[in-house]
Amino acid sequence: METRATRFGLWTWTVLVLLFLYAPIGIIVLYAFNSSNIQSWPIAGFSTTWFSSTWHNEEVREALVLSLKAALVATSIALVLGSAGAFAVSRFRFFGRETISFVFVLPLALPGIITGMALNSYFGFWGWQLSIWTIIVGHATFCVVIVYNNVIARLRRTSPSLVEASMDLGADGWQTFRFVTFPVISTALVSGALLAFALSFDEVIVTTFTAGAQNTLPLWIFGKIRLGQQLPQVNVVVAVIIALTIIPVYFAQRLSRESGILRRR
Amino acid sequence: MAAGADTAGRPSWAARRRLSAVFWRRGWLRGTFLLLPPLAWFALLYLTALVVLLVSAFWRVDPFTTELVRDWNLDNFKTVFTEPVYRTIAFRTIGIAAAVTITDAIIAVPFAYFMARLASPRTRAALFVLVLLPLWASYLARVYAWRLILAKEGVLNWTLEQLGLPTVGIAYSNWAMWIVFSYVWLPFMILPVYAAMERIPDSYLEASTDLGAKGWRTTRSIVLPLAFPGIVAGSIFTFALTLGDYITPTLVGGASSQFIGNVVYSSVGIANNVPFAAAYAVVPLAVMGVYLLIARRLGAFEAM
């Protein structure tokens, strides 16, 4: 239907958009290997000196450890809460069932400043000191919906009769869960967990309100960029963070074709 | 527990059996058991926090002690709506959010069309992943990349120089914010537009051609109206995310690039005036509320 010229035009457009999407990511990776500490283009030369100096930077290490800890605990909490919610909503009818997914998506749909500010003043209200635990509470809250969406999409595609068959054959609730339900949802859980991890590991806005004196890795980057300090090391950390967020998402995508944030139904 | 199960294997097995039977027979019990933890988490932590925040917009902070004073008043809202500074910032935020949304729609439509209608299934799957990955790649990293690109000595000016064109000084300006926001939220626009285009039956386009419509006429009368709910769905993301941001304005914006988010952030973090911050945060919240109502009428939620 489309004329040749149209086809060619659309193809060119697609290639240009892909370039637009990936050029900045490529450039940031190149900057990480910059041998000079001056941030100008073209980079002076290739070297990995900044990688080793970054690795030996205590601040970066502490921030990395904090980010990993927070992301792991937040992901675990999100796994439990998200899959429990998904089971309840997909297998039972109850009053207000439709509003559940709306409530779960709120922390992602509302501007981050609102979620962050709300949690911040709420913690203050109870007199809770800001710590790794307040970071985790914030992250877990917006990660629940990711796990929830993945698990519920999987449950919708599997028939409840599997569970009934297992019970008919004499399995108890635990055995049914262990040998029927869990294998069915396991890849959805893994992909949900990977996405939740990536989301938590990268989060800045809510974290600025829920972290006390400690820095997560994104907070460290944000602070250094703002002050214009240690930029060569920032380049390295940023390149590593891109890898650490893209890789889990790539695998999550392969595990379940419905894992995109937009495929939430 | 574990030791008990070993020594008295059979009774504990029977107990487990009985317990699972109880859960199986009483569906509501299982439902409650499953629903309670996530619901308690959201109700006790998140929703209460939101309500407290909205309520605190009607309170005030004592200017001397910086203590929260719980007497009901509308002063914060009065400041938000009468002070020209806050009005300017609100209009700037909404204006750039709108500009970003339109830009992303213009970039996304031809791309999504190619993806949905011209690409082979293999290419389509590859493009899907290629669009999805930047969406999840660190947001902060991608904003920072643009800071390097747009800098005076950056990639952009170097490229312009190589081409013999005059260099530009758009670093730290509203232009920079417009580019960076359009960049970071673009995948959010492409994916729903693609989903909407994929659903257009081929026969519609064939019918249009059979009836004598030329390419542009088919695009305007068939493709765009059917893709429109997808565009609106994408715009919810691009608009809402820009509206609530303060990182990009801080990192690539200039001296007069403050967003609502920046004011809110400094009201909480520096001035410790949560009531005012809450009142000002109601502005993007209200704008989004209205926007969502309109989007719903335009069928955006079915397109997601």
Side-chain angles (χ1 to χ4, degrees):
Chain A
M1 274 160 282
E2 295 83 7
T3 63
R4 237 180 169 179
T6 320
R7 279 164 179 271
F8 180 72
L10 287 170
W11 182 85
T12 319
W13 187 261
T14 304
V15 173
L16 286 177
V17 171
L18 284 181
L19 268 179
F20 177 59
L21 283 176
Y22 280 89
I25 296 176
I27 286 165
I28 201 81
V29 173
L30 283 180
Y31 266 102
F33 291 97
N34 192 354
S35 59
S36 157
N37 61 353
I38 298 159
Q39 311 285 311
S40 66
W41 188 264
I43 57 171
F46 273 94
S47 98
T48 49
T49 46
W50 297 114
F51 277 85
S52 59
S53 85
T54 308
W55 180 246
H56 293 295
N57 185 334
E58 272 308 310
E59 268 181 18
V60 173
R61 276 187 182 205
E62 275 168 25
L64 176 69
V65 170
L66 182 68
S67 279
L68 288 175
K69 270 190 200 159
L72 284 176
V73 180
T75 304
S76 316
I77 295 174
L79 272 177
V80 174
L81 298 181
S83 38
F87 270 103
V89 168
S90 72
R91 298 289 187 246
F92 302 95
R93 332 224 133 253
F94 51 88
F95 175 73
R97 185 164 160 264
E98 269 69 46
T99 48
I100 296 280
S101 47
F102 174 75
V103 170
F104 282 171
V105 83
L106 265 186
L108 271 196
L110 288 182
I113 38 166
I114 291 179
T115 300
M117 191 166 49
L119 289 174
N120 178 283
S121 46
Y122 190 63
F123 295 148
F125 177 79
W126 289 111
W128 295 351
Q129 286 295 315
L130 297 180
S131 67
I132 181 171
W133 293 105
T134 50
I135 300 176
I136 289 169
V137 167
H139 285 199
T141 303
F142 59 69
C143 284
V144 166
V145 69
I146 307 284
V147 177
Y148 172 81
N149 283 337
N150 269 277
V151 175
I152 206 163
R154 180 63 52 86
L155 287 175
R156 290 219 169 112
R157 279 185 291 139
T158 53
S159 141
S161 56
L162 278 178
V163 173
E164 285 159 13
S166 155
M167 300 297 251
D168 285 348
L169 292 168
D172 65 24
W174 165 248
Q175 287 167 325
T176 305
F177 179 77
R178 170 69 188 76
F179 297 109
V180 178
T181 315
F182 184 73
V184 162
I185 62 164
S186 60
T187 51
L189 284 177
V190 174
S191 98
L194 287 169
L195 292 174
F197 182 90
L199 194 68
S200 160
F201 192 75
D202 175 45
E203 216 286 334
V204 219
I205 298 186
V206 175
T207 318
T208 47
F209 288 95
T210 55
Q214 297 158 298
N215 273 338
T216 61
L217 211 47
L219 286 187
W220 181 86
I221 300 172
F222 184 50
K224 292 301 174 209
I225 300 175
R226 228 170 15 164
L227 300 172
Q229 292 169 343
Q230 302 177 20
L231 291 179
Q233 297 193 354
V234 169
N235 294 339
V236 172
V237 175
V238 158
V240 172
I241 274 208
I242 285 199
L244 276 181
T245 45
I246 278 192
I247 293 168
V249 174
Y250 178 75
F251 285 111
Q253 160 69 23
R254 297 208 47 175
L255 277 174
S256 86
R257 295 282 159 194
E258 292 188 321
S259 60
I261 185 175
L262 297 163
R263 303 256 157 150
R264 65 163 59 105
R265 278 187 308 147
Chain B
M1 276 298 240
D6 280 339
T7 48
R10 229 155 162 93
S12 97
W13 182 79
R16 203 175 80 183
R17 194 86 197 174
R18 220 166 20 241
L19 192 69
S20 98
V22 166
F23 269 104
W24 178 249
R25 254 177 247 124
R26 295 181 181 72
W28 60 270
L29 195 63
R30 237 173 346 143
T32 317
F33 183 73
L34 285 170
L35 202 58
L36 205 61
L39 221 54
W41 179 283
F42 271 80
L44 293 182
L45 280 169
Y46 190 59
L47 295 179
T48 319
L50 278 184
V51 171
V52 171
L53 181 73
L54 288 182
V55 168
S56 74
F58 297 95
W59 295 338
R60 66 184 177 88
V61 161
D62 189 302
F64 297 107
T65 59
T66 70
E67 289 283 318
L68 200 62
V69 185
R70 287 172 197 171
D71 52 357
W72 300 87
N73 64 81
L74 287 170
D75 292 357
N76 295 317
F77 290 99
K78 225 176 273 165
T79 319
V80 166
F81 286 108
T82 52
E83 284 281 330
V85 197
Y86 297 124
R87 227 178 318 161
T88 313
I89 292 175
F91 281 130
R92 177 188 303 131
T93 311
I94 297 167
I96 289 187
V100 166
T101 301
I102 293 166
T103 313
D104 277 346
I106 292 172
I107 300 176
V109 166
F111 185 93
Y113 187 88
F114 179 84
M115 210 171 142
R117 313 217 65 92
L118 296 179
S120 65
R122 255 188 97 100
T123 319
R124 189 181 304 159
L127 284 173
F128 189 80
V129 177
L130 283 174
V131 171
L132 199 68
L133 287 184
L135 180 70
W136 287 86
S138 168
Y139 156 83
L140 197 57
R142 288 181 295 145
V143 175
Y144 177 59
W146 277 98
R147 209 173 133 111
L148 294 176
I149 293 170
L150 298 176
K152 203 156 155 269
E153 307 272 289
V155 179
L156 179 69
N157 276 340
W158 180 81
T159 315
L160 288 172
E161 240 168 52
Q162 299 295 308
L163 296 170
L165 295 167
T167 57
V168 288
I170 57 167
Y172 312 116
S173 67
N174 289 347
W175 289 106
M177 282 204 293
W178 171 64
I179 295 173
V180 174
F181 275 131
S182 301
Y183 171 76
V184 287
W185 309 137
L186 179 60
F188 280 108
M189 181 63 94
I190 292 178
L191 294 174
V193 176
Y194 158 73
M197 291 222 183
E198 203 192 16
R199 268 181 242 161
I200 305 175
D202 285 332
S203 55
Y204 283 27
L205 303 184
E206 283 157 15
S208 166
T209 321
D210 288 348
L211 292 168
K214 292 268 188 318
W216 171 237
R217 182 67 210 270
T218 307
T219 309
R220 199 164 45 105
S221 308
I222 312 282
V223 177
L224 285 183
L226 288 174
F228 191 65
I231 298 175
V232 178
S235 77
I236 294 174
F237 292 101
T238 56
F239 196 73
L241 290 168
T242 313
L243 221 50
D245 202 287
Y246 77 92
I247 304 287
T248 299
T250 310
L251 292 186
V252 302
S256 62
S257 296
Q258 278 220 318
F259 261 39
I260 295 176
N262 296 75
V263 176
V264 168
Y265 178 70
S266 51
S267 302
V268 175
I270 299 160
N272 207 7
N273 189 345
V274 174
F276 176 73
Y280 203 28
V282 167
V283 175
L285 215 55
V287 171
M288 262 336 281
V290 174
Y291 197 83
L292 285 175
L293 283 180
I294 299 172
R296 196 178 177 153
R297 298 210 67 163
L298 294 171
F301 291 98
E302 285 77 46
M304 258 190 245

